[in-house]
Amino acid sequence: MHGAAFAHAGLRGTYEARRVSAAELPAAVAGLRAPDVLGANLSLPHKEAALPLLDALSDAARAIGAVNTVIHEAGQLRGENTDAPGLLAALRDAGLAELSPGAPVVILGAGGAARAAAFVALRDLRRPAWIVNRTLERAQALADEFRAFGEVRAASAGATPWDAAPLVINASSAGLNDPGQTPLDAALLARLPAGALVYDMVYKPAETRLMREARALGLSADNGLGMLAHQARLAFRAWTGADVPAHVFLDALRPPEPA
């Protein structure tokens, strides 16, 4: 994606993936202060651990409590979270309609991605958020942190108001690289109202079991490619100042059409 963005903007630059262990994180972050480095993206499990290693945080990153983008500016490192606005843009692309007042947004997971989802549900969509996680204590801890933004609850799958939820966001890793895995039982999916959108942040495989089962029930479903592209676009703009269209990032993600 970023290679395509550099080419589109007529800029010289590279974007490289590096595997960094938890023990190596402080040194890796310090390395971003090198003069030729524009910044970096962080993936799990570093989105929260990197916070104290940075010089400044955007308001959104501070509120969410997670950073996915680091921007290098004259030796200083600023943390940003482009996951949240990237998710909001992707939901709109996926056809998310105006939600009824009080309609709950159900979030599966309680990690860094779930933080961004809760932020979007509460601050941007202004709707109650229900957080469902295998470990209820983690869901409760996340709910407690976000209570200042609106109505948010932690619940077991059995106690969640699926019948009233027009939007379900999978912010867990369930299904990642395993098409047979799902974070939600099909019987619970079947309780969602007609027209509900199931958004799976997982993008590999392109169609997860959660998506297949949602579509089989006549529900709308989309994967995380849109979120990946939109958050990348925002990060690229923060690093370079170049406003590259979202389709450049999306086109780079999609496999070429067969001849």
Side-chain angles (χ1 to χ4, degrees):
M1 287 188 299
H2 290 289
F6 276 120
H8 181 91
L11 299 174
R12 293 181 61 188
T14 61
Y15 184 93
E16 302 171 358
R18 297 180 182 178
R19 187 176 297 277
V20 176
S21 68
E24 296 168 332
L25 182 62
V29 170
L32 300 179
R33 300 180 190 274
D36 60 340
V37 175
L38 297 176
N41 284 134
L42 301 174
S43 61
L44 294 174
H46 301 319
K47 292 185 179 185
E48 297 167 63
L51 293 175
L53 304 174
L54 304 174
D55 301 302
L57 299 174
S58 70
D59 291 342
R62 185 177 294 104
I64 294 169
V67 164
N68 77 313
T69 300
V70 179
I71 301 119
H72 176 211
E73 298 169 329
Q76 298 290 294
L77 301 179
R78 175 167 57 89
E80 180 60 89
N81 191 300
T82 64
D83 280 338
L87 171 61
L88 182 61
L91 290 174
R92 288 171 174 162
D93 286 350
L96 179 66
E98 180 68 25
L99 303 182
S100 301
V105 175
V106 178
I107 299 165
L108 309 178
R115 288 174 170 273
F119 188 74
V120 168
L122 295 166
R123 194 200 67 163
D124 296 314
L125 300 178
R126 299 184 182 279
R127 296 297 181 268
W130 288 66
I131 300 172
V132 180
N133 191 58
R134 287 178 299 179
T135 306
L136 187 58
E137 290 77 10
R138 287 198 67 196
Q140 188 62 60
L142 181 56
D144 290 343
E145 285 189 53
F146 278 77
R147 211 167 299 284
F149 294 104
E151 182 184 348
V152 55
R153 305 184 188 185
S156 65
T160 300
W162 303 104
D163 310 74
L167 174 61
V168 175
I169 301 172
N170 177 33
S172 76
S173 60
L176 181 64
N177 297 319
D178 184 354
Q181 189 180 38
T182 180
L184 189 61
D185 187 89
L188 297 176
L189 267 180
R191 290 175 51 189
L192 294 175
L197 170 63
V198 177
Y199 191 84
D200 197 340
M201 287 188 183
V202 170
Y203 52 84
K204 186 179 180 181
E207 184 175 65
T208 62
R209 177 180 168 186
L210 176 65
M211 292 171 59
R212 288 197 306 272
E213 292 182 347
R215 287 171 175 164
L217 291 166
L219 303 171
S220 297
D222 206 350
N223 65 22
L225 281 179
M227 177 181 174
L228 180 65
H230 281 292
Q231 67 78 27
R233 172 181 175 269
L234 294 169
F236 189 85
R237 186 172 65 185
W239 295 326
T240 67
D243 196 4
V244 176
H247 73 80
V248 173
F249 296 87
L250 281 167
D251 290 347
L253 289 169
R254 292 172 177 144
E257 295 288 337

